[in-house]
Amino acid sequence: MERIKSLLGRDPNITEEAVFSALWSEHCSYKSSRIHLRKFASKGPRVLMGPGENAGVVRVTSGKGIAFKMESHNHPSYIEPFQGAATGVGGILRDIFAMGARPVALTNSLVFGSLRQPRQMTLFRRVVSGIASYGNSIGVPTVGGEIWFDERYSKNILVNAFALGVVDEDGIMSSVPPQKPLLAVYLGNKTGRDGVSGASMASRSFSGSDSDLRPQVQVADPFVGKKVMEATLRIIREGLAEAIQDMGAAGLTSSSVEMASKAELGIEIDVAKVPLRDNSMEPWEVLLSESQERMLLLVEESRVNKILDIAQESQVSGTVVGRVIPEPVFRVKKEEDVFAEIPVKYLTDDAPLYDRPSDSRTSLLSPSLAFPPSEGGSHSIAALFHLLLDHPNGGSADWIFRQFDFEVGTRTLLPPGHDVAVIDIRAEEHAVAIALSGFSHPLTRDPARGAMLLVAKTVTDLAAVGAWPIGLTDCLNFGNPERPDTMSDFILAVTGISDAAKRFGIPVVSGNVSFYNETDGLSIPPTPILATCGLVRDKRTVVPGKVSHPGLYLGLAGSTRDLSLGGSYLDWILQDQSAPPVPGIDWEALEGLQTFMSTLLADRRLRATRAIGRGGFLRSLLQLVAGDETLGVALKLQRLEDPLQTFFSEAAGRMLVAYDPENSDSILRTSLEFGVPFQRIGITATHLWNIRYQDKDGRSKEISDSPVQLKRRFFGSLTDQMEDLP
């Protein structure tokens, strides 16, 4: 407040105070993260629009681009799970079509506490329902996602939504207006009191003594959202607007101030002209409402009537609510009365920017290895595998995916249940692959190395479908930034993501920071969620991640130099405080694997592929043969120095492949040509799960199980819990 008084030279009135409180909030100003986010490289030959726009845009063909972004809706989803999740989907979709892009895919990353807690079960069910309700209703397919359950998130669940759209390169819309006289046109739903001060609510920690915050959660209306989307895309297609901004956090305030700031101009808003659901709303409530399905357009006066006609045809509100002014101030009027007048730079350039204290910690690692000894034989490995599958984190997410319409629009080339989604962009036979990664445990062990591993995991997943990474978006979920340990985790994680993305040449074109995921002084673990988009040059080469046929050869490709168990799912489930390091990344080997996989897929020599991910080799192998309940494997592996590492490490850069026997020799020759480690490990077989190997002392070992029983564990660990409830 003292800083505001100093800038204004006077006390702010209630409307001005509300404006400052929203735009100086963590959620809007990024005051604790901006100086660190500068580490990200966001430029590249394919980048058409980077950070600062509604979404990033990357070129995929000579005339076509993809717009994509991911954002969090954590606080609202904990307070009111259905609406919080639904409005998270609606908000990220508006970011996409504000760029002129037609949304073609949604996905998500969800983190909850233990399902043993009734409150978490309710939150989980309602969040999934909210996501499905909005996506299914508006007609955009939800093509995948990931789920994680962990008691450390019981008071602060994470709901991160990703959307992707396709746009013609000459049809991209910006939020940066030209410096000329323009009118501000309101388009969309009427404004109500739902979501007032939502940005401020999302910029602080929770406490057990909080009163009911549900009025600060927005209310979704996907049917109006569909109308707004089509109207906006038509306006952009016909070239009627000069700049467009979604009314997201802080509503009309942030959208108008941000566009004025980018043009180095001012803007005047008349709240009396804003369409309202409640005419008793105060000016500050109108400004800060986060009612959904609303856009702000800056338009030349000669084109306003055409836009208003489109709004009327679309059955949504459309009206002129203000104008761009040469004086660089944000002026709020209600007819002739002035309620606020603030220089725009005070709200943007002069907003607080903190270099918050962080501790000097660089690693949480202990060098000791304290896992159950692999000498325990096949029973210990089989028992550990059962333990992983029986937990919802190790099971299938099919119960969630069944709620989603993933086929609407007929662009989905791989259904949910694969580690990567593939979308047909209907241009030059190209497709786009989307790989998500957000497992927090590697970052709990080592924030920098764990963050690098997340990037490498997405790259490995993309390699499974022959996709080359072209852009990355992130959602950085952390606790209270006023705590030095949280800031240390954040800085290390940002550094790790930045370094890995630069190493792979992947620009970070959009993203979101969610701080204050803390309740009663207890913060969540560091949890960045990453989504890397990759280009598939020929959609006809994409193969599934599972097979249903016996008699196929199975191969293992990729580097095995560092198979540390640190930060793995096994590490997490055993809850041992002394663990090995998070595995390092063999950059050159991973680049070679990309080329190797692209070549094999282009030549149609593979039947199925699966990157080794959560749970390690055994779980990924089970998923690979999940096309038929009775299908299993007969494997014979080389001598294993440490079977636990071989079977449960989640190091990036290993790939399981299934192929016809006649392709065996050519695949081996290709692996030698590219210098990629490759070995044929076995064959698919009906009613058999048999893995033979030798330990480091040359003793023969064997793992035998029932593929039917293993798959019942895998598919039932989450589904059985959900379907047993009324």
Side-chain angles (χ1 to χ4, degrees), residues 45 51 89 100 103 112 174 203 215 235 286 350 354 362 501 570 580-581 594 631 670-671 679 690:
V89 174
F112 292 84
S174 173
S203 302
I235 289 166
V286 176
D350 293 338
Y354 300 144
T362 59
L570 181 66
Q594 285 182 292
L631 188 66
T670 304
S671 72
Q679 56 179 306
N690 184 265

Side-chain angles (χ1 to χ4, degrees), residues 28 60 76 101 191 231 240 245 265 377 436 464 513 545 567-568 604 719:
C28 290
V60 290
T191 296
L240 300 177
Q245 183 80 42
L265 295 170
L436 257 70
V513 177
S568 66
R604 313 289 207 280
T719 300

Side-chain angles (χ1 to χ4, degrees), residues 566-610:
S568 66
Y569 176 29
L570 181 66
D571 178 11
W572 176 84
I573 208 164
L574 294 179
Q575 298 183 359
D576 201 301
Q577 296 304 309
S578 55
V582 173
I585 301 164
D586 189 333
W587 307 103
E588 293 183 0
L590 186 48
E591 290 171 357
L593 180 66
Q594 285 182 292
T595 305
F596 173 69
M597 292 299 298
S598 296
T599 301
L600 295 184
L601 289 166
D603 293 341
R604 313 289 207 280
R605 283 185 275 170
L606 300 178
R607 295 284 294 274
T609 61
R610 173 77 65 168

Side-chain angles (χ1 to χ4, degrees), residues 477-526:
N477 306 277
F478 288 79
N480 188 341
E482 298 165 38
R483 292 174 45 172
D485 58 338
T486 297
M487 280 310 301
S488 177
D489 287 345
F490 180 81
I491 294 167
L492 290 169
V494 167
T495 302
I497 295 169
S498 173
D499 290 349
K502 290 175 183 175
R503 183 64 180 79
F504 288 118
I506 310 172
V508 181
V509 298
S510 60
N512 171 243
V513 177
S514 175
F515 274 134
Y516 292 100
N517 292 287
E518 177 188 72
T519 296
D520 292 330
L522 182 63
S523 289
I524 64 166

Side-chain angles (χ1 to χ4, degrees), residues 72 148 306 627 646 679:
S72 63
W148 184 256
K306 178 61 175 173
T646 299
Q679 56 179 306

Side-chain angles (χ1 to χ4, degrees), residues 129-170:
S129 181
I131 291 170
S133 174
Y134 202 101
N136 296 354
S137 298
I138 201 171
V140 179
T142 303
V143 296
E146 61 175 12
I147 182 70
W148 184 256
F149 300 98
D150 189 323
E151 291 183 353
R152 294 173 294 178
Y153 297 87
S154 293
K155 298 294 185 181
N156 294 95
I157 65 173
L158 304 182
V159 177
N160 290 183
F162 169 95
L164 180 144
V166 179
V167 60
D168 290 331
E169 196 167 326
D170 58 2

